[in-house]
Amino acid sequence: MLKRLYEWMLDKAGHPQATKWLAGFSFTESSFFPIPPDVLLAPMCLAKPEKSFWYAFICTAASVLGALLGYAIGFFLFETIGIAILEFYGVTDKFDTFAQSFNEQGWIVVLLAGFTPLPFKVITIAAGSTAMPLYILIIAAIIARSARFFLVAGLLRFFGPPMKEWIDKNFALATTVGGVLFVGGFAAVRWLV
């Protein structure tokens, strides 16, 4: 099912309304949709490199707005929709333990999940269900999502198809290492201050 969904999504890169599809996928991926918008962002950046940063902006803005929907699901609808989404991703049994310590370091978790392939929707729902201050979610989501999408767009704009091939093969590793370094930098600054 996910493969068909992935192919259907990839097909939207050539659609006349591809930019709207990109915004829609970015929005829904932050709250419930299983496939990241990078699937659409990459071919769009390769097709029109001059618009790469515009596409990254669209991904970022829509993703942050989608994070608000995820937050609302966690805050208002956790017992119904929130739990169903967590069950779909197979994290329900670990969620209680995770939620207990979430708000202590929640901003770091949001930064890490927003930048890496971790399921961002689980984090936005957790933020709502644990009543994380909304401004923390928004700021962390803006930083993490813009870093991720602008990095992908920049690499594809300047290095083209060879970079797409490398990203496809090493996406999880590259974003995880980058995310750890990214969050580590914030943690180091916080520790030093």
Side-chain angles (χ1 to χ4, degrees):
M1 180 182 113
L2 283 178
K3 186 172 193 234
R4 283 196 311 259
L5 189 58
Y6 174 89
E7 289 169 356
W8 172 77
M9 187 176 168
L10 191 56
D11 185 53
K12 300 304 177 200
H15 193 277
Q17 299 294 320
T19 305
K20 290 179 182 174
W21 282 105
L22 180 64
F25 289 135
S26 298
F27 178 84
T28 57
E29 186 267 338
S30 290
S31 49
F32 63 88
F33 193 70
I35 300 174
D38 310 70
V39 169
L40 197 55
L41 176 63
M44 290 175 68
C45 289
L46 290 173
K48 294 183 180 176
E50 71 282 0
K51 290 189 166 190
S52 294
F53 295 126
W54 171 244
Y55 296 147
F57 173 77
I58 289 169
C59 277
T60 301
S63 184
V64 171
L65 291 173
L68 296 177
L69 176 59
Y71 186 94
I73 290 170
F75 193 82
F76 297 110
L77 304 168
F78 183 73
E79 295 299 322
T80 53
I81 297 172
I83 288 178
I85 292 170
L86 296 177
E87 284 174 356
F88 178 81
Y89 290 100
V91 296
T92 312
D93 57 334
K94 301 170 193 155
F95 189 77
D96 288 338
T97 306
F98 172 73
Q100 288 174 1
S101 61
F102 179 75
N103 277 343
E104 293 171 19
Q105 300 298 323
W107 68 274
I108 293 174
V109 177
V110 173
L111 281 173
L112 190 59
F115 189 75
T116 67
L118 296 172
F120 192 53
K121 65 224 42 73
V122 171
I123 303 308
T124 63
I125 291 170
S129 72
T130 61
M132 170 188 267
L134 191 55
Y135 76 92
I136 291 175
L137 173 71
I138 293 170
I139 292 168
I142 289 170
I143 293 168
R145 297 311 251 183
S146 62
R148 173 179 171 165
F149 297 133
F150 278 90
L151 176 64
V152 169
L155 290 172
L156 291 170
R157 178 182 173 128
F158 297 114
F159 300 106
M163 184 52 66
K164 182 189 181 304
E165 218 173 282
W166 188 88
I167 289 171
D168 287 345
K169 288 180 186 173
N170 302 292
F171 183 74
L173 173 65
T175 57
T176 301
V177 169
V180 168
L181 293 173
F182 183 70
V183 172
F186 275 96
V189 167
R190 184 175 181 209
W191 182 73
L192 292 171
V193 172

